[in-house]
Amino acid sequence: MNLNGISFPSWKSLAPLIVTVVVALWPTPDGLSPHAWYFFAIFLGCVVGLILEPLPGAVIGLIGVTAAALLAPWVLFSPEQLAAPNFNAANQAFAWAVSGFTNSTVWLIFGAFMFALGYEKTGLGRRISLWLVNAMGRRTLTLGYAVMISDTILAPFTPSNTARSAGTIYPVIRNLPPLYDSHPNDPSMKRMGSFLMWTALASTCVTSSLFLTAMAPNLLAIALTESATGIQVNWGQWFMAIAPAGILLLLLVPLLCYWLCAPEVKAGHEVSDWARDELKKLGALTRKEIVLVLMVVTALLLWIFGGDIISASLVGLVVICGMLLTGIVTWDDILNNNPAWNTLVWFATLVALAGGLSQVGFVHWFGTVVGGQISHFNPLMAMVALVVLFYALHYFFASITAHVTALLPVILAAASGIQGLDMQMFVLLLLPTLGFMGILTPYGTGPSPVYYGSGYLPSALFWRLGAIFGLLFLVVWLAIGMPWLALIL
């Protein structure tokens, strides 16, 4: 804000600080130590900052960790810890502040971002999309399946659904509707554009849940869950848990879009002809593309089957080294990959902050309180209630990362206080909803604003389809996921 030449902080900049101060001044709840309450105040202020985004998320996380470390004697350590012999608060505070950078999941995210860079530099991602469109684009319905398959192929290696869908799929499919005289912000959008754009968004929301490495917040959620509960979930466990429901939804999404967002054009050869021409311009597979295919297939096999041989995070670093040695990317490419470095700092600081909630005892206290309130629930009913609550509250978040950071520790704490509840099953029921929930709103996940702004999905249509598909995803997941998890666990 600027008034008579004097700059004042905006309300978005002041809101996180105000929330932190107000919560800190609020009387400490019974059963909770003051330092834990003060830490929670800082954490809550960071969450508000992540939601409003007056600064980049990485900056918010860095400020939060730094503030907590500076105030460690009052917010991070108990009086008993401070009184212990040989306890150096300054060194321990710094060790905690940088602990997120030693988290293996954070480096897995970083490595997977470099996979996406390889797809971009070689053009392999665009080639895959064009190949599928060429093969399946003569009918509108099969074109929808081509879009879905393109996203599915890229998803295991692309931890950003924004990079995958908005950055790779959207630039290809935005060229398709005009070939059928379907234009944005025009009644002709219904001819082809609305169907195609909604199919792409719905598909990426499903693939974001189907694969652990298809969306960075999945990996963050795994790290936060391990920090809060000690439960570890690997790539194979995640996929096995969601495969029946996720694969069914993937197969249904283009058909449902075809019914609920029906295109007026049912068939034609223009799209496949255009894709064929674009493929001719690309020529044959290059050496770099072939090498990258071998690398990503090897990485996927190691992620699935090689957990006892090599860490998943180390696989990512090996592939980075391989791409550098073969010239697929250069060191300057890596240095200039701002999203990757931003995410590294962002997630590392968020992991430390969320882990701090457990360290100071807040999560245990909250779980005891909430668990006591719903302890009379049947454990299965409690699972469903908590999952539905977690899912529906995404209407209030413009970032799945912020959603995870704000609510996941709280929901896990509540579940841990319910006697007889199977935490392993609950974790595998809760976490895969993260991708699904992105369909709810025009701001629900990274690609949403891109498709919303395409001109093919007007506001009323977006919100209506978001509610329908969001409910459908959740119902199918609970109806299939719960019995399946009970069977395999």
Side-chain angles (χ1 to χ4, degrees), residues 236-489:
Q237 288 173 319
W238 179 289
F239 182 77
M240 280 298 297
I242 194 174
I247 293 173
L248 175 63
L249 283 172
L250 268 185
L251 296 175
L252 287 176
V253 157
L255 186 59
L256 290 170
C257 294
Y258 194 75
W259 290 338
L260 298 173
C261 191
E264 295 174 356
V265 176
K266 306 298 182 183
H269 61 84
E270 289 88 346
V271 171
S272 57
D273 289 347
W274 172 82
R276 184 176 63 251
D277 292 340
E278 290 296 307
L279 282 170
K280 286 180 180 178
K281 294 177 184 178
L282 289 178
L285 273 172
T286 64
R287 179 191 66 84
K288 290 182 178 179
E289 287 177 293
I290 294 172
V291 172
L292 182 60
V293 168
L294 294 175
M295 286 183 183
V296 295
V297 170
T298 301
L300 180 58
L301 292 174
L302 289 173
W303 282 341
I304 298 173
F305 303 111
D308 296 331
I309 302 172
I310 183 172
S311 163
S313 302
L314 187 56
V315 170
L317 295 179
V318 169
V319 171
I320 292 174
C321 293
M323 289 195 297
L324 287 167
L325 290 172
T326 55
I328 290 175
V329 298
T330 66
W331 184 242
D332 283 341
D333 291 330
I334 290 179
L335 290 178
N336 292 328
N337 191 355
N338 294 329
W341 295 107
N342 179 68
T343 302
L344 179 70
V345 175
W346 188 357
F347 279 30
T349 52
L350 292 180
V351 165
L353 284 168
L357 284 177
S358 295
Q359 180 176 321
V360 300
F362 181 88
V363 170
H364 180 267
W365 168 82
F366 184 86
T368 301
V369 172
V370 176
Q373 295 295 320
I374 59 176
S375 59
H376 60 284
F377 278 37
N378 175 279
L380 288 179
M381 292 303 298
M383 282 190 193
V384 173
L386 289 173
V387 169
V388 171
L389 176 65
F390 184 71
Y391 190 85
L393 285 174
H394 191 60
Y395 274 102
F396 300 102
F397 289 89
S399 161
I400 294 179
T401 300
H403 185 118
V404 170
T405 307
L407 294 183
L408 182 59
V410 173
I411 295 294
L412 291 174
S416 65
I418 300 173
Q419 188 173 4
L421 187 143
D422 185 336
M423 282 299 293
Q424 180 78 22
M425 179 178 176
F426 177 68
V427 164
L428 289 173
L429 188 67
L430 181 71
L431 300 192
T433 64
L434 292 172
F436 295 146
M437 65 179 61
I439 199 70
L440 292 173
T441 67
Y443 50 82
T445 188
S448 297
V450 175
Y451 289 105
Y452 178 64
S454 68
Y456 290 103
L457 295 170
S459 181
L461 178 63
F462 199 114
W463 283 96
R464 177 171 62 83
L465 290 175
I468 293 171
F469 278 75
L471 179 61
L472 174 69
F473 288 171
L474 182 61
V475 170
V476 170
W477 170 234
L478 291 176
I480 296 177
M482 288 192 70
W484 173 246
L485 289 174
L487 179 65
I488 66 174
L489 292 179

Side-chain angles (χ1 to χ4, degrees), residues 11 21 39 60 65 72 78 82 88 110 144 173 192 247 275 287 292 316 379 385 388 404 411-412 420 470 489:
W11 70 270
V21 172
F39 184 91
I60 298 293
V65 165
S78 67
L82 294 171
N88 189 310
F110 181 79
I173 67 172
M192 171 72 75
I247 293 173
R287 179 191 66 84
L292 182 60
V388 171
V404 170
I411 295 294
L412 291 174
L489 292 179

Side-chain angles (χ1 to χ4, degrees), residues 123-138 143 146-147 149-151 153-154 168-176 179 270-283 289:
L124 181 60
R126 188 169 188 270
R127 183 187 293 275
I128 291 170
S129 299
L130 289 170
W131 179 76
L132 287 168
V133 169
N134 179 48
M136 305 175 68
R138 290 190 176 274
L143 180 59
V147 171
I149 294 171
S150 299
D151 197 291
I153 291 173
L154 297 173
T168 302
I169 305 295
Y170 176 75
V172 173
I173 67 172
R174 70 180 176 184
N175 297 286
L176 307 185
L179 298 177
E270 289 88 346
V271 171
S272 57
D273 289 347
W274 172 82
R276 184 176 63 251
D277 292 340
E278 290 296 307
L279 282 170
K280 286 180 180 178
K281 294 177 184 178
L282 289 178
E289 287 177 293

Side-chain angles (χ1 to χ4, degrees), residues 113-130:
F113 261 94
M114 295 306 163
F115 278 38
L117 178 63
Y119 273 105
E120 177 187 341
K121 296 293 293 184
T122 62
L124 181 60
R126 188 169 188 270
R127 183 187 293 275
I128 291 170
S129 299
L130 289 170

